[in-house]
Amino acid sequence: METRPLAYRMMPKTLEDYTGQEHILGKDKILYRTIKADRLSSIILYGPPGCGKTSLAKVISNTTKYKFVKINATTAGVADIKTAAVEAKNLMLNPSGKCILFIDEIHRFSKLQQDALLPFVEDGTIILIGATTENPYFEVNKALISRSMVFKLEPLTIDNVVDVLKRSLRDGEGLGNYNINIKDETLYKIAEVSNGDVRTALNGLEVAVLTTKMDSQGCIRITDEIAADSVQNRKILFDKKGDSHYDNISAFIKSMRGSDPDATVFYLARAIDGGEDPVFLARRIVIAASEDVGMANPNALVVATSAMQAVAMIGMPEARIILAEAAVYVATSKKSNASYMAINIAMEDVQNKDTGTIPMHIRNAPHQGMNKLGYGVGYKYPHDYPGHYVEQQYLPDKMLGTKYYNP
């Protein structure tokens, strides 16, 4: 066992061993009850790395009476699915006539491979457990989604991770056979750096133990410095192509709109650290300057556009300074979405209503002969009047009195 990683050895064997995810595995929750009763239907587990998707599948494999088959979507194909179904239907070898098929990284299956699952899931031959770090509503076929229950797993809390680390220090299959001295404060620091990924925390603790020499008393003393060196940099839950990308950029935009410069800079920092394209971020700031600041401070659009051009010319790492300045400017500006709302309502009218025709006196009359047909006749040039303004009709007759712009 000790040749295998600590994270593998510490996988829970029963629901009682499982840590975290109380929102779906509390004793009154449907997933807990169905696992306990061995009445599981097809499910898709969705959440970040290290939150316990594979561990939950292992718990199910230990508690179910059904044949349990595990495949990984990165290496398996349609043939593996069909083989699992054929073996499940062999009543001599499998009297239940069905199996639980755990597919890790199910989002990596092509549409064809996912379609191959459908008939077996539909007739009950296969009870599917799909695990994915991507949003299944985007990455998994709608037909499979409709036949499955989707459960979102959250990153483990710091306390959850510390509980697992402490258990690994006590457990004989973990690090229980070593004489280890480590303070709770150090365990909490490991847990904090792991950012809810228990696999990262366990791997870091194992590296710290295996690379630290015993002292004269035969004790392995893990200090904050050793732990920090073993776990390395804080693990950021950010994937510039995944679900966290959309969540983070949404939070960034809403923070600018909500006039919170601190939150704005925080989500900007997460995006930059996660490798987000700086020009993409600059475009979001330009849009916010127009949509959310608008006529309350038209200069915000000038600042944001200049920032976008500067970011494209200069690049990282200095572009972070330009992005921060423009984002903070937009966040701290007064807000008005009047122009944004005006164009939306006008577009809706243009697309869905009979809006009439353009008044003749403001139509274009490039040729003199068109005046005889009424084009441009009666137009009043505003600059010929006091204050450069004269009252005249601009909207079509059918749209008279319509109000789009409300300052």
Side-chain angles (χ1 to χ4, degrees):
M1 277 294 284
E2 287 198 8
T3 62
R4 298 185 176 185
L6 178 62
Y8 179 88
R9 305 199 307 268
M10 293 311 300
M11 276 190 176
K13 297 177 177 62
T14 67
L15 274 175
E16 287 68 31
D17 294 335
Y18 193 89
T19 302
Q21 312 305 337
E22 289 83 1
H23 64 292
I24 58 172
L25 286 172
K27 292 189 177 182
D28 60 335
K29 303 297 182 182
I30 187 171
L31 186 56
Y32 178 91
R33 298 200 312 269
T34 54
I35 293 172
K36 273 293 191 181
D38 201 12
R39 303 287 292 177
L40 196 68
S41 58
S42 291
I43 62 173
I44 294 176
L45 304 173
Y46 152 47
C51 67
K53 301 184 294 296
T54 305
S55 294
L56 184 54
K58 185 175 177 65
V59 167
I60 294 169
S61 73
N62 290 336
T63 57
T64 184
K65 66 177 179 288
Y66 299 117
K67 178 181 174 65
F68 189 92
V69 181
K70 176 183 177 181
I71 62 176
N72 192 300
T74 57
T75 56
V78 173
D80 297 280
I81 296 169
K82 290 182 176 178
T83 298
V86 168
E87 291 179 356
K89 289 180 177 179
N90 188 329
L91 298 180
M92 290 187 65
L93 299 176
N94 185 38
S96 69
K98 61 176 66 178
C99 74
I100 293 177
L101 178 62
F102 173 55
I103 304 178
D104 204 5
E105 307 286 347
I106 192 172
H107 62 275
R108 295 186 183 274
F109 262 171
S110 67
K111 185 180 184 301
L112 178 66
Q113 290 168 313
Q114 291 185 33
D115 284 344
L117 280 165
L118 281 174
F120 305 117
V121 171
E122 198 160 39
D123 68 13
T125 301
I126 287 177
I127 300 170
L128 172 68
I129 303 177
T132 175
T133 55
E134 304 295 332
N135 191 326
Y137 294 102
F138 296 140
E139 303 294 337
V140 178
N141 285 5
K142 290 180 180 178
L144 270 181
I145 290 285
S146 69
R147 290 164 175 79
S148 309
M149 296 179 71
V150 178
F151 294 97
K152 188 175 190 304
L153 279 67
E154 302 293 344
L156 296 184
T157 66
I158 291 176
D159 286 335
N160 289 153
V161 176
V162 170
D163 285 345
V164 176
L165 292 176
K166 286 183 175 179
R167 183 158 57 87
S168 75
L169 293 170
R170 298 190 302 266
D171 198 316
E173 289 187 4
L175 300 170
N177 296 323
Y178 292 86
N179 183 14
I180 300 168
N181 184 292
I182 183 170
K183 294 179 180 178
D184 282 357
E185 292 84 354
T186 305
L187 291 175
Y188 272 94
K189 287 180 180 178
I190 293 173
E192 186 176 353
V193 172
S194 72
N195 216 19
D197 186 337
V198 73
R199 188 182 298 112
T200 296
L202 287 167
N203 288 343
L205 179 60
E206 185 176 33
V207 168
V209 170
L210 297 181
T211 58
T212 302
K213 291 183 179 179
M214 293 182 184
D215 62 16
S216 56
Q217 285 80 39
C219 180
I220 299 173
R221 299 184 186 278
I222 308 298
T223 63
D224 288 354
E225 292 74 19
I226 292 172
D229 193 43
S230 300
V231 183
Q232 297 292 315
N233 293 330
R234 183 175 177 84
K235 185 178 179 65
I236 298 295
L237 295 174
F238 188 92
D239 177 1
K240 61 183 177 180
K241 293 182 180 178
D243 205 32
S244 56
H245 155 82
Y246 297 103
D247 290 342
N248 195 80
I249 202 64
S250 174
F252 175 57
I253 292 166
K254 288 180 173 70
S255 298
M256 284 191 289
R257 180 181 298 143
S259 303
D260 188 332
D262 299 306
T264 296
V265 171
F266 170 73
Y267 291 114
L268 176 62
R270 274 178 56 101
I272 292 171
D273 189 71
E276 191 69 84
D277 178 8
V279 176
F280 168 80
L281 293 170
R283 287 200 300 267
R284 298 302 101 189
I285 298 171
V286 170
I287 293 167
S290 181
E291 177 181 339
D292 298 308
V293 177
M295 294 301 292
N297 181 9
N299 195 53
L301 182 56
V302 177
V303 171
T305 303
S306 297
M308 183 172 65
Q309 293 171 342
V311 165
M313 288 188 292
I314 292 174
M316 294 296 287
E318 289 81 1
R320 77 189 190 284
I321 308 166
I322 301 163
L323 288 168
E325 180 183 347
V328 168
Y329 188 91
V330 169
T332 55
S333 290
K334 291 181 179 180
K335 304 296 190 294
S336 168
N337 70 343
S339 300
Y340 168 69
M341 296 301 293
I343 189 62
N344 284 353
I345 298 168
M347 290 289 293
E348 190 174 339
D349 280 355
V350 167
Q351 292 166 3
N352 300 308
K353 288 183 179 180
D354 176 7
T355 54
T357 58
I358 299 171
M360 294 299 292
H361 65 281
I362 60 170
R363 293 195 190 187
N364 186 33
H367 300 289
Q368 191 172 2
M370 296 179 70
N371 295 121
K372 297 177 181 178
L373 299 175
Y375 284 79
V377 175
Y379 173 63
K380 299 173 183 177
Y381 187 56
H383 298 293
D384 289 340
Y385 296 85
H388 306 274
Y389 172 80
V390 62
E391 195 166 320
Q392 63 182 323
Q393 180 180 338
Y394 293 99
L395 281 171
D397 291 341
K398 289 189 175 182
M399 301 302 291
L400 280 176
T402 303
K403 190 82 170 172
Y404 291 116
Y405 178 64
N406 294 288

